[in-house]
Amino acid sequence: MKPTNTLNAIALVVALGFTSCGKQTGTSQAERTANAVASYVAPGEKDEYYLFYSGGHSGQVYVAGIPSLRHITTIPVFAPYPGTGYGFDDESKKMLGDFTWGDVHHPALSQTNSKYDGRWLFVNDNANNRIARIDLHDFKTHQILGPIPNSIGNHGSSFITENSEYILCATRFSVPLPKGRVADPKDYEKEFNGMVSGIKVDPKTGEMRVGWQILTPPFDWDLGSTGKGPSSGWAFWTSYNTEMAHDTLEVNSTQKDRDLAAVVNWRAAENAVAEGKAEMMDGVPIIDPAKVPGVLYFVPIGKSPHGMDVDPTGKWIVAGGKLQPATTVLNFEKVQAAINNKTFEGESRGVPILKYEAVVEGEVPVGLGPLHTQYDGKGNAYTSMFIDSCIVKWKLPPWTDAEKKDLTKVVLDKVPTHFSTGHLVVAGSDTAHPYGKWCVAMNKLSAGRHINVGPSQPESSQLIDITGEKMKMIAESYTEPEPHFAQILKVTDVQPTEVYPKDENKDPNAVWEKAQSGVTRNGNQVDAKVMAIRSRYNPDRIDAQVGDELTVHVTNVEQTRDMIHGFGLIEHNINMVIDPGETKTFHIKLTKPGVFPFYCTNFCSALHQEMQGYLVVWKPGEGPSGASGAVGGTK
Ligand code: RUQ
Ligand code: CUA
């Protein structure tokens, strides 16, 4: 079919509301009971898995339990979150920089030997070109890297390598480089550049830094995946807009019958940089693939694809072509052979394009709008169908001759979803050892699936049991906006701390007993070291003057699980939440005289309400001890 015809056909299908998956049939009472039991986590019992899902433009990561699908916590990342005081204390404020939002897309759990190691969770920010690290030892954000130089629209990440050596990223948008240079978008093809970035991860601390970058044509890079086993050291991304259009992309970027995927040899990139083959731009070594052969190749794949997923064996790479009713399965062995034998069908900006017929294993007719594929480690693939609204289970190669002749034979099962499933996640799919068992479909449109709460309709996710031959729809739940992908981790594969042990608190301003606490003045700098304990602050009075720079360090000296204290300061936009054993600091310039109460925001005891104090801001020259009035409060 010609592209326009395909588009028309799809438009017609969408307009008619026809889906090949059909409507979900009513479930019998016995099935309802069985499904309810399967997802029921009784009071006092706990879930078996964590679901970490991206919160899109809410800037956060959400944690739900599986199988209950209950929302358990929110991990604030790129946006302030008053619930945990994130974005109010000095440290988290500094991490957020000047931004108050991010667009979280694809979380990645750290891996060792292609298995989740329960150490870190990385997430990318499509909007402000950043990447963040959440430490699973306390489920908090500890680093935000970026904006990444020479990179715009950090969408094609976070894809982690088998031993967490790198987070690999590719740009969704292209601009003239270096950043800040201006060229007319009409000269897009000539003047604009995309980029692949290797973000190096410190194996001990998880600290990230920009390692190197590879210059690419201005295609819009989309989802990617890293290699393992035979494809170890490689990474893959789909793209749209290989037409290199700069306007009306809906039409102009859907002209060609195929788009190009990137095949990146990241080990070769690392070596090329070590051998001095890169040039510096904005402090980063950049490889021009036209000058350094062997680092980057292109492969034609289905039209306007989205997901690109390497299977657990590392042999098969599946791309979903949203505007083609099939997934494209690439054979990595054939990719290697085509590279070695130079079986090319052209080039783009000096980068060879591998011949499609030489690398493809087959096009599996899964239905309309294949978007993203996951694996159970038992030879099965699960693809989300955006247009058909369903999940399709199909069999990975190797295929029999009969199957090869008619690939409809490898399509095993379909389960309807509601509606327009974007992403799906199978537990552990991106490792060499998936947990299997559960699949979560993250639906783009809930379209009336929840009780009516007005036009801003909540998203929905659905839990599917994939243990049997046929998939089983088990449960459905509200999802925070806007899920773009998720990771599932077995609860027993991570051991988060429940309090910060006192002897691990290295904050020089921590105070553990009354004698250490107090207020001191140095010029116009007023420093308060406050101890928080059930249910009082010590000191509970801070005196200062208008014009002073006030720094307050609050230590929660509790070593008891869930004994959290807060510090809310009236009319100063200060809200800190301090976990047991933690010290947090805020800094403000005092600009208005008055008496401002501060109080504990977290319910901590029967006398929680009594946990309060006063910040007394005197007019200059006034105060209890004259012009420099700063007292330590009551002891
Ligand atoms: S993505 S649809 Cu980053 Cu698929 Cu959102
Ligand atoms: Cu401390 Cu409430």
Side-chain angles (χ1 to χ4, degrees):
M1 239 192 302
K2 282 230 182 73
T4 40
N5 291 347
T6 316
L7 270 179
N8 290 343
I10 288 170
L12 188 70
V13 165
V14 175
L16 292 174
F18 167 84
T19 76
S20 68
C21 285
K23 288 237 169 68
Q24 188 169 21
T25 47
T27 20
S28 72
Q29 196 54 41
E31 279 173 304
R32 292 168 74 95
T33 307
N35 293 352
V37 168
S39 67
Y40 184 60
V41 176
E45 290 176 359
K46 288 175 186 170
D47 281 296
E48 198 185 348
Y49 296 88
Y50 295 101
L51 173 73
F52 297 94
Y53 68 92
S54 78
H57 50 282
S58 78
Q60 320 296 35
V61 166
Y62 300 99
V63 184
I66 290 181
S68 74
L69 282 189
R70 291 186 293 214
H71 177 185
I72 297 170
T73 196
T74 297
I75 305 175
V77 185
F78 295 113
Y81 183 64
T84 60
Y86 186 80
F88 294 88
D89 64 296
D90 283 2
E91 204 189 20
S92 57
K93 239 188 194 161
K94 196 173 149 210
M95 272 199 299
L96 289 172
D98 294 333
F99 301 108
T100 57
W101 79 293
D103 189 2
V104 176
H105 274 248
H106 319 116
L109 286 163
S110 58
Q111 300 186 14
T112 301
N113 297 324
S114 206
K115 234 181 143 174
Y116 295 146
D117 59 21
R119 301 168 80 196
W120 308 302
L121 180 75
F122 298 91
V123 288
N124 60 313
D125 167 16
N126 178 37
N128 300 309
N129 310 313
R130 294 175 295 171
I131 185 138
R133 185 187 80 248
I134 293 160
D135 286 9
L136 294 179
H137 117 98
D138 60 1
F139 277 51
K140 287 182 190 167
T141 303
H142 283 266
Q143 189 194 0
I144 294 178
L145 178 79
I148 299 169
N150 313 313
S151 165
I152 292 280
N154 184 28
H155 182 244
S157 76
S158 326
F159 304 115
I160 196 159
T161 57
E162 291 164 286
N163 284 293
S164 306
E165 298 96 331
Y166 286 97
I167 312 288
L168 298 172
C169 314
T171 49
R172 173 173 169 193
F173 303 114
S174 289
V175 291
L177 291 176
K179 276 188 199 172
R181 187 169 77 84
V182 180
D184 194 317
K186 280 189 199 128
D187 299 322
Y188 187 86
E189 202 172 330
K190 208 174 83 219
E191 296 283 353
F192 286 49
N193 276 292
M195 197 68 85
V196 166
S197 303
I199 306 295
K200 186 82 192 111
V201 178
D202 184 285
K204 280 217 179 74
T205 62
E207 198 72 10
M208 300 174 283
R209 63 180 172 83
V210 184
W212 39 259
Q213 296 180 311
I214 305 169
L215 208 58
T216 76
F219 306 157
D220 294 41
W221 297 109
D222 211 338
L223 294 186
S225 186
T226 57
K228 52 177 86 77
S231 53
S232 180
W234 294 77
F236 313 88
W237 281 269
T238 58
S239 75
Y240 57 95
N241 195 23
T242 41
E243 293 82 355
M244 295 186 267
H246 69 279
D247 63 359
T248 331
L249 257 61
E250 189 187 11
V251 177
N252 293 337
S253 78
T254 51
Q255 297 299 309
K256 293 190 182 170
D257 265 341
R258 293 190 190 289
D259 276 296
L260 295 174
V263 176
V264 173
N265 185 339
W266 62 262
R267 285 250 183 247
E270 195 179 41
N271 292 337
V273 172
E275 288 161 11
K277 291 181 185 160
E279 280 163 41
M280 297 301 283
M281 195 199 302
D282 207 355
V284 182
I286 298 209
I287 300 164
D288 180 347
K291 294 182 193 153
V292 185
V295 167
L296 176 65
Y297 300 91
F298 296 137
V299 179
I301 37 156
K303 195 175 165 64
S304 297
H306 197 61
M308 179 94 174
D309 300 278
V310 178
D311 88 307
T313 69
K315 288 185 192 162
W316 315 108
I317 307 146
V318 176
K322 284 175 303 186
L323 297 188
Q324 205 194 20
T327 52
T328 310
V329 184
L330 303 177
N331 179 336
F332 187 73
E333 248 170 54
K334 291 184 181 174
V335 169
Q336 287 281 281
I339 289 172
N340 294 336
N341 304 329
K342 297 197 165 36
T343 317
F344 302 151
E345 62 173 54
E347 58 89 36
S348 174
R349 283 202 186 167
V351 176
I353 301 172
L354 307 183
K355 196 169 164 43
Y356 180 70
E357 291 72 21
V359 297
V360 73
E361 190 69 13
E363 291 179 2
V364 181
V366 285
L368 291 180
L371 197 121
H372 196 186
T373 298
Q374 296 277 284
Y375 309 98
D376 61 7
K378 294 182 200 149
N380 299 307
Y382 301 80
T383 301
S384 56
M385 311 300 292
F386 182 76
I387 296 173
D388 275 347
S389 282
C390 62
I391 305 291
V392 177
K393 175 182 178 179
W394 53 279
K395 191 181 138 204
L396 282 169
W399 295 315
T400 63
D401 287 342
E403 285 168 344
K404 276 185 199 162
K405 238 179 253 151
D406 175 13
L407 280 175
T408 57
K409 290 200 166 78
V410 306
V411 177
L412 306 174
D413 190 25
K414 293 188 181 191
V415 62
T417 51
H418 301 86
F419 296 90
S420 297
T421 307
H423 292 269
L424 81 173
V425 61
V426 167
S429 169
D430 55 341
T431 71
H433 313 277
Y435 306 118
K437 193 164 175 178
W438 296 112
C439 169
V440 176
M442 286 164 270
N443 307 318
K444 284 290 165 202
L445 301 172
S446 63
R449 296 291 281 185
H450 302 296
I451 50 175
N452 191 346
V453 290
S456 197
Q457 299 237 324
E459 315 294 340
S460 105
S461 290
Q462 292 176 305
L463 182 72
I464 299 159
D465 176 345
I466 55 165
T467 50
E469 215 173 286
K470 295 275 172 209
M471 294 177 282
K472 242 167 119 192
M473 177 63 70
I474 299 290
E476 176 162 354
S477 180
Y478 158 73
T479 303
E480 296 274 352
E482 162 80 48
H484 295 274
F485 189 41
Q487 296 268 270
I488 295 175
L489 180 64
K490 199 163 197 171
V491 168
T492 49
D493 282 347
V494 62
Q495 281 84 36
T497 187
E498 292 194 293
V499 298
Y500 293 105
K502 180 184 170 188
D503 36 307
E504 283 175 27
N505 182 325
K506 298 285 180 259
D507 193 310
N509 296 300
V511 285
W512 299 95
E513 39 194 276
K514 277 186 186 177
Q516 299 171 319
S517 65
V519 183
T520 51
R521 167 181 289 279
N522 186 357
N524 72 337
Q525 308 284 324
V526 176
D527 218 57
K529 290 179 182 163
V530 177
M531 190 175 102
I533 189 166
R534 265 165 289 171
S535 275
R536 64 188 302 198
Y537 298 108
N538 205 89
D540 60 0
R541 173 170 171 178
I542 300 168
D543 284 66
Q545 295 175 8
V546 169
D548 282 345
E549 303 272 346
L550 173 69
T551 306
V552 180
H553 314 274
V554 184
T555 302
N556 176 352
V557 302
E558 310 276 359
Q559 292 286 283
T560 309
R561 163 168 94 167
D562 202 19
M563 202 40 70
I564 300 166
H565 296 293
F567 190 101
L569 175 59
I570 304 272
E571 287 187 4
H572 279 79
N573 199 36
I574 291 296
N575 157 47
M576 291 205 301
V577 177
I578 312 107
D579 289 345
E582 193 178 31
T583 302
K584 276 188 176 171
T585 297
F586 72 84
H587 173 100
I588 44 171
K589 188 168 169 102
L590 300 174
T591 54
K592 50 185 178 187
V595 177
F596 303 100
F598 52 83
Y599 68 100
C600 179
T601 49
N602 272 66
F603 206 98
C604 52
S605 79
L607 295 174
H608 148 80
Q609 205 75 359
E610 283 77 355
M611 191 165 175
Q612 61 167 60
Y614 295 105
L615 167 66
V616 186
V617 185
W618 300 87
K619 287 189 184 141
E622 295 181 358
S625 56
S628 66
V631 298
T634 50
K635 292 217 174 178

PDB file of all heavy atoms in Angstrom, residues 356-382:
ATOM      1  N   TYR A 356      17.759  -3.788   3.816  1.00  0.00           N
ATOM      2  CA  TYR A 356      16.642  -4.285   4.619  1.00  0.00           C
ATOM      3  C   TYR A 356      16.490  -5.805   4.516  1.00  0.00           C
ATOM      4  O   TYR A 356      16.435  -6.516   5.517  1.00  0.00           O
ATOM      5  CB  TYR A 356      15.354  -3.581   4.180  1.00  0.00           C
ATOM      6  CG  TYR A 356      14.124  -4.013   4.947  1.00  0.00           C
ATOM      7  CD1 TYR A 356      13.962  -3.658   6.284  1.00  0.00           C
ATOM      8  CD2 TYR A 356      13.130  -4.782   4.336  1.00  0.00           C
ATOM      9  CE1 TYR A 356      12.846  -4.053   7.008  1.00  0.00           C
ATOM     10  CE2 TYR A 356      12.010  -5.180   5.042  1.00  0.00           C
ATOM     11  CZ  TYR A 356      11.871  -4.816   6.372  1.00  0.00           C
ATOM     12  OH  TYR A 356      10.757  -5.213   7.069  1.00  0.00           O
ATOM     13  N   GLU A 357      16.447  -6.293   3.269  1.00  0.00           N
ATOM     14  CA  GLU A 357      16.214  -7.728   3.051  1.00  0.00           C
ATOM     15  C   GLU A 357      17.302  -8.586   3.688  1.00  0.00           C
ATOM     16  O   GLU A 357      17.077  -9.747   4.019  1.00  0.00           O
ATOM     17  CB  GLU A 357      16.128  -8.046   1.547  1.00  0.00           C
ATOM     18  CG  GLU A 357      14.878  -7.498   0.846  1.00  0.00           C
ATOM     19  CD  GLU A 357      14.900  -5.985   0.674  1.00  0.00           C
ATOM     20  OE1 GLU A 357      16.004  -5.388   0.708  1.00  0.00           O
ATOM     21  OE2 GLU A 357      13.810  -5.377   0.544  1.00  0.00           O
ATOM     22  N   ALA A 358      18.490  -7.993   3.863  1.00  0.00           N
ATOM     23  CA  ALA A 358      19.618  -8.771   4.396  1.00  0.00           C
ATOM     24  C   ALA A 358      19.551  -8.929   5.907  1.00  0.00           C
ATOM     25  O   ALA A 358      20.204  -9.804   6.465  1.00  0.00           O
ATOM     26  CB  ALA A 358      20.931  -8.104   3.995  1.00  0.00           C
ATOM     27  N   VAL A 359      18.794  -8.067   6.588  1.00  0.00           N
ATOM     28  CA  VAL A 359      18.832  -8.102   8.058  1.00  0.00           C
ATOM     29  C   VAL A 359      17.499  -8.475   8.711  1.00  0.00           C
ATOM     30  O   VAL A 359      17.451  -8.783   9.895  1.00  0.00           O
ATOM     31  CB  VAL A 359      19.304  -6.739   8.632  1.00  0.00           C
ATOM     32  CG1 VAL A 359      20.721  -6.433   8.180  1.00  0.00           C
ATOM     33  CG2 VAL A 359      18.345  -5.612   8.265  1.00  0.00           C
ATOM     34  N   VAL A 360      16.433  -8.453   7.908  1.00  0.00           N
ATOM     35  CA  VAL A 360      15.113  -8.681   8.503  1.00  0.00           C
ATOM     36  C   VAL A 360      14.812 -10.183   8.597  1.00  0.00           C
ATOM     37  O   VAL A 360      15.153 -10.954   7.702  1.00  0.00           O
ATOM     38  CB  VAL A 360      14.012  -7.922   7.724  1.00  0.00           C
ATOM     39  CG1 VAL A 360      13.731  -8.586   6.388  1.00  0.00           C
ATOM     40  CG2 VAL A 360      12.750  -7.816   8.555  1.00  0.00           C
ATOM     41  N   GLU A 361      14.223 -10.589   9.701  1.00  0.00           N
ATOM     42  CA  GLU A 361      13.832 -11.986   9.874  1.00  0.00           C
ATOM     43  C   GLU A 361      12.383 -12.175   9.443  1.00  0.00           C
ATOM     44  O   GLU A 361      12.010 -13.213   8.926  1.00  0.00           O
ATOM     45  CB  GLU A 361      14.006 -12.398  11.338  1.00  0.00           C
ATOM     46  CG  GLU A 361      13.853 -13.871  11.612  1.00  0.00           C
ATOM     47  CD  GLU A 361      14.982 -14.718  11.031  1.00  0.00           C
ATOM     48  OE1 GLU A 361      16.016 -14.141  10.614  1.00  0.00           O
ATOM     49  OE2 GLU A 361      14.828 -15.950  10.978  1.00  0.00           O
ATOM     50  N   GLY A 362      11.571 -11.143   9.660  1.00  0.00           N
ATOM     51  CA  GLY A 362      10.188 -11.233   9.226  1.00  0.00           C
ATOM     52  C   GLY A 362       9.386 -10.037   9.691  1.00  0.00           C
ATOM     53  O   GLY A 362       9.831  -9.268  10.543  1.00  0.00           O
ATOM     54  N   GLU A 363       8.197  -9.865   9.064  1.00  0.00           N
ATOM     55  CA  GLU A 363       7.265  -8.836   9.502  1.00  0.00           C
ATOM     56  C   GLU A 363       6.053  -9.567  10.056  1.00  0.00           C
ATOM     57  O   GLU A 363       5.349 -10.259   9.322  1.00  0.00           O
ATOM     58  CB  GLU A 363       6.866  -7.938   8.337  1.00  0.00           C
ATOM     59  CG  GLU A 363       8.011  -7.067   7.849  1.00  0.00           C
ATOM     60  CD  GLU A 363       7.618  -6.178   6.666  1.00  0.00           C
ATOM     61  OE1 GLU A 363       6.431  -6.211   6.260  1.00  0.00           O
ATOM     62  OE2 GLU A 363       8.498  -5.479   6.155  1.00  0.00           O
ATOM     63  N   VAL A 364       5.813  -9.437  11.346  1.00  0.00           N
ATOM     64  CA  VAL A 364       4.737 -10.199  11.981  1.00  0.00           C
ATOM     65  C   VAL A 364       3.440  -9.368  11.957  1.00  0.00           C
ATOM     66  O   VAL A 364       3.405  -8.263  12.503  1.00  0.00           O
ATOM     67  CB  VAL A 364       5.107 -10.576  13.431  1.00  0.00           C
ATOM     68  CG1 VAL A 364       3.996 -11.391  14.072  1.00  0.00           C
ATOM     69  CG2 VAL A 364       6.418 -11.346  13.457  1.00  0.00           C
ATOM     70  N   PRO A 365       2.397  -9.911  11.315  1.00  0.00           N
ATOM     71  CA  PRO A 365       1.150  -9.147  11.138  1.00  0.00           C
ATOM     72  C   PRO A 365       0.331  -9.100  12.427  1.00  0.00           C
ATOM     73  O   PRO A 365      -0.672  -9.783  12.567  1.00  0.00           O
ATOM     74  CB  PRO A 365       0.422  -9.917  10.036  1.00  0.00           C
ATOM     75  CG  PRO A 365       0.921 -11.321  10.169  1.00  0.00           C
ATOM     76  CD  PRO A 365       2.310 -11.257  10.731  1.00  0.00           C
ATOM     77  N   VAL A 366       0.754  -8.278  13.355  1.00  0.00           N
ATOM     78  CA  VAL A 366       0.114  -8.244  14.670  1.00  0.00           C
ATOM     79  C   VAL A 366      -1.188  -7.443  14.691  1.00  0.00           C
ATOM     80  O   VAL A 366      -2.026  -7.634  15.554  1.00  0.00           O
ATOM     81  CB  VAL A 366       1.081  -7.671  15.730  1.00  0.00           C
ATOM     82  CG1 VAL A 366       2.138  -8.698  16.107  1.00  0.00           C
ATOM     83  CG2 VAL A 366       1.731  -6.383  15.246  1.00  0.00           C
ATOM     84  N   GLY A 367      -1.348  -6.530  13.748  1.00  0.00           N
ATOM     85  CA  GLY A 367      -2.547  -5.699  13.735  1.00  0.00           C
ATOM     86  C   GLY A 367      -2.167  -4.236  13.576  1.00  0.00           C
ATOM     87  O   GLY A 367      -1.044  -3.922  13.187  1.00  0.00           O
ATOM     88  N   LEU A 368      -3.117  -3.360  13.919  1.00  0.00           N
ATOM     89  CA  LEU A 368      -2.890  -1.939  13.635  1.00  0.00           C
ATOM     90  C   LEU A 368      -2.288  -1.171  14.806  1.00  0.00           C
ATOM     91  O   LEU A 368      -2.743  -1.268  15.936  1.00  0.00           O
ATOM     92  CB  LEU A 368      -4.206  -1.282  13.238  1.00  0.00           C
ATOM     93  CG  LEU A 368      -4.776  -1.704  11.881  1.00  0.00           C
ATOM     94  CD1 LEU A 368      -6.081  -0.979  11.612  1.00  0.00           C
ATOM     95  CD2 LEU A 368      -3.779  -1.441  10.764  1.00  0.00           C
ATOM     96  N   GLY A 369      -1.256  -0.421  14.486  1.00  0.00           N
ATOM     97  CA  GLY A 369      -0.663   0.473  15.465  1.00  0.00           C
ATOM     98  C   GLY A 369       0.268  -0.174  16.466  1.00  0.00           C
ATOM     99  O   GLY A 369       0.270   0.207  17.640  1.00  0.00           O
ATOM    100  N   PRO A 370       1.113  -1.137  16.037  1.00  0.00           N
ATOM    101  CA  PRO A 370       2.052  -1.730  16.995  1.00  0.00           C
ATOM    102  C   PRO A 370       3.015  -0.668  17.519  1.00  0.00           C
ATOM    103  O   PRO A 370       3.590   0.082  16.747  1.00  0.00           O
ATOM    104  CB  PRO A 370       2.796  -2.785  16.177  1.00  0.00           C
ATOM    105  CG  PRO A 370       2.621  -2.394  14.753  1.00  0.00           C
ATOM    106  CD  PRO A 370       1.305  -1.681  14.670  1.00  0.00           C
ATOM    107  N   LEU A 371       3.139  -0.616  18.835  1.00  0.00           N
ATOM    108  CA  LEU A 371       3.864   0.501  19.412  1.00  0.00           C
ATOM    109  C   LEU A 371       5.107   0.077  20.183  1.00  0.00           C
ATOM    110  O   LEU A 371       6.173   0.626  20.025  1.00  0.00           O
ATOM    111  CB  LEU A 371       2.896   1.268  20.315  1.00  0.00           C
ATOM    112  CG  LEU A 371       3.350   2.669  20.684  1.00  0.00           C
ATOM    113  CD1 LEU A 371       2.343   3.692  20.233  1.00  0.00           C
ATOM    114  CD2 LEU A 371       3.569   2.806  22.162  1.00  0.00           C
ATOM    115  N   HIS A 372       4.954  -0.921  21.030  1.00  0.00           N
ATOM    116  CA  HIS A 372       6.050  -1.243  21.937  1.00  0.00           C
ATOM    117  C   HIS A 372       5.968  -2.737  22.237  1.00  0.00           C
ATOM    118  O   HIS A 372       4.872  -3.276  22.344  1.00  0.00           O
ATOM    119  CB  HIS A 372       5.863  -0.416  23.222  1.00  0.00           C
ATOM    120  CG  HIS A 372       7.078  -0.352  24.087  1.00  0.00           C
ATOM    121  ND1 HIS A 372       7.059   0.229  25.319  1.00  0.00           N
ATOM    122  CD2 HIS A 372       8.338  -0.793  23.903  1.00  0.00           C
ATOM    123  CE1 HIS A 372       8.274   0.157  25.863  1.00  0.00           C
ATOM    124  NE2 HIS A 372       9.060  -0.463  25.030  1.00  0.00           N
ATOM    125  N   THR A 373       7.123  -3.387  22.367  1.00  0.00           N
ATOM    126  CA  THR A 373       7.143  -4.845  22.554  1.00  0.00           C
ATOM    127  C   THR A 373       7.915  -5.228  23.804  1.00  0.00           C
ATOM    128  O   THR A 373       8.932  -4.612  24.123  1.00  0.00           O
ATOM    129  CB  THR A 373       7.745  -5.523  21.304  1.00  0.00           C
ATOM    130  OG1 THR A 373       6.903  -5.232  20.190  1.00  0.00           O
ATOM    131  CG2 THR A 373       7.835  -7.034  21.465  1.00  0.00           C
ATOM    132  N   GLN A 374       7.401  -6.218  24.514  1.00  0.00           N
ATOM    133  CA  GLN A 374       8.053  -6.725  25.722  1.00  0.00           C
ATOM    134  C   GLN A 374       8.139  -8.251  25.618  1.00  0.00           C
ATOM    135  O   GLN A 374       7.476  -8.864  24.774  1.00  0.00           O
ATOM    136  CB  GLN A 374       7.244  -6.317  26.957  1.00  0.00           C
ATOM    137  CG  GLN A 374       7.202  -4.808  27.155  1.00  0.00           C
ATOM    138  CD  GLN A 374       8.430  -4.285  27.875  1.00  0.00           C
ATOM    139  OE1 GLN A 374       8.584  -4.430  29.068  1.00  0.00           O
ATOM    140  NE2 GLN A 374       9.338  -3.677  27.129  1.00  0.00           N
ATOM    141  N   TYR A 375       8.922  -8.859  26.515  1.00  0.00           N
ATOM    142  CA  TYR A 375       9.191 -10.294  26.420  1.00  0.00           C
ATOM    143  C   TYR A 375       9.051 -10.976  27.769  1.00  0.00           C
ATOM    144  O   TYR A 375       9.302 -10.364  28.804  1.00  0.00           O
ATOM    145  CB  TYR A 375      10.608 -10.505  25.903  1.00  0.00           C
ATOM    146  CG  TYR A 375      10.914  -9.726  24.653  1.00  0.00           C
ATOM    147  CD1 TYR A 375      11.592  -8.512  24.726  1.00  0.00           C
ATOM    148  CD2 TYR A 375      10.490 -10.182  23.412  1.00  0.00           C
ATOM    149  CE1 TYR A 375      11.867  -7.775  23.578  1.00  0.00           C
ATOM    150  CE2 TYR A 375      10.761  -9.458  22.254  1.00  0.00           C
ATOM    151  CZ  TYR A 375      11.448  -8.247  22.350  1.00  0.00           C
ATOM    152  OH  TYR A 375      11.703  -7.536  21.215  1.00  0.00           O
ATOM    153  N   ASP A 376       8.685 -12.274  27.727  1.00  0.00           N
ATOM    154  CA  ASP A 376       8.540 -13.004  28.993  1.00  0.00           C
ATOM    155  C   ASP A 376       9.716 -13.941  29.276  1.00  0.00           C
ATOM    156  O   ASP A 376       9.740 -14.622  30.297  1.00  0.00           O
ATOM    157  CB  ASP A 376       7.217 -13.781  29.028  1.00  0.00           C
ATOM    158  CG  ASP A 376       7.111 -14.825  27.914  1.00  0.00           C
ATOM    159  OD1 ASP A 376       8.107 -15.047  27.188  1.00  0.00           O
ATOM    160  OD2 ASP A 376       6.029 -15.420  27.767  1.00  0.00           O
ATOM    161  N   GLY A 377      10.691 -14.014  28.350  1.00  0.00           N
ATOM    162  CA  GLY A 377      11.839 -14.892  28.554  1.00  0.00           C
ATOM    163  C   GLY A 377      11.549 -16.342  28.195  1.00  0.00           C
ATOM    164  O   GLY A 377      12.388 -17.212  28.374  1.00  0.00           O
ATOM    165  N   LYS A 378      10.318 -16.599  27.692  1.00  0.00           N
ATOM    166  CA  LYS A 378       9.979 -17.970  27.300  1.00  0.00           C
ATOM    167  C   LYS A 378       9.756 -18.052  25.794  1.00  0.00           C
ATOM    168  O   LYS A 378       9.049 -18.941  25.312  1.00  0.00           O
ATOM    169  CB  LYS A 378       8.689 -18.401  28.015  1.00  0.00           C
ATOM    170  CG  LYS A 378       8.831 -18.506  29.525  1.00  0.00           C
ATOM    171  CD  LYS A 378       7.517 -18.995  30.102  1.00  0.00           C
ATOM    172  CE  LYS A 378       7.396 -18.684  31.567  1.00  0.00           C
ATOM    173  NZ  LYS A 378       5.988 -18.472  31.945  1.00  0.00           N
ATOM    174  N   GLY A 379      10.308 -17.082  25.093  1.00  0.00           N
ATOM    175  CA  GLY A 379      10.187 -17.099  23.642  1.00  0.00           C
ATOM    176  C   GLY A 379       8.973 -16.356  23.109  1.00  0.00           C
ATOM    177  O   GLY A 379       8.679 -16.402  21.919  1.00  0.00           O
ATOM    178  N   ASN A 380       8.247 -15.665  24.004  1.00  0.00           N
ATOM    179  CA  ASN A 380       7.068 -14.920  23.556  1.00  0.00           C
ATOM    180  C   ASN A 380       7.297 -13.418  23.603  1.00  0.00           C
ATOM    181  O   ASN A 380       8.010 -12.925  24.474  1.00  0.00           O
ATOM    182  CB  ASN A 380       5.870 -15.248  24.439  1.00  0.00           C
ATOM    183  CG  ASN A 380       5.513 -16.711  24.396  1.00  0.00           C
ATOM    184  OD1 ASN A 380       5.329 -17.276  23.318  1.00  0.00           O
ATOM    185  ND2 ASN A 380       5.460 -17.341  25.552  1.00  0.00           N
ATOM    186  N   ALA A 381       6.665 -12.737  22.667  1.00  0.00           N
ATOM    187  CA  ALA A 381       6.694 -11.275  22.627  1.00  0.00           C
ATOM    188  C   ALA A 381       5.277 -10.765  22.857  1.00  0.00           C
ATOM    189  O   ALA A 381       4.304 -11.458  22.531  1.00  0.00           O
ATOM    190  CB  ALA A 381       7.215 -10.810  21.275  1.00  0.00           C
ATOM    191  N   TYR A 382       5.165  -9.587  23.433  1.00  0.00           N
ATOM    192  CA  TYR A 382       3.870  -8.950  23.707  1.00  0.00           C
ATOM    193  C   TYR A 382       3.947  -7.543  23.148  1.00  0.00           C
ATOM    194  O   TYR A 382       4.810  -6.765  23.549  1.00  0.00           O
ATOM    195  CB  TYR A 382       3.600  -8.906  25.217  1.00  0.00           C
ATOM    196  CG  TYR A 382       3.582 -10.282  25.839  1.00  0.00           C
ATOM    197  CD1 TYR A 382       4.776 -10.935  26.156  1.00  0.00           C
ATOM    198  CD2 TYR A 382       2.384 -10.950  26.066  1.00  0.00           C
ATOM    199  CE1 TYR A 382       4.778 -12.210  26.695  1.00  0.00           C
ATOM    200  CE2 TYR A 382       2.375 -12.230  26.605  1.00  0.00           C
ATOM    201  CZ  TYR A 382       3.577 -12.858  26.913  1.00  0.00           C
ATOM    202  OH  TYR A 382       3.570 -14.118  27.440  1.00  0.00           O
TER     203      TYR A 382
END
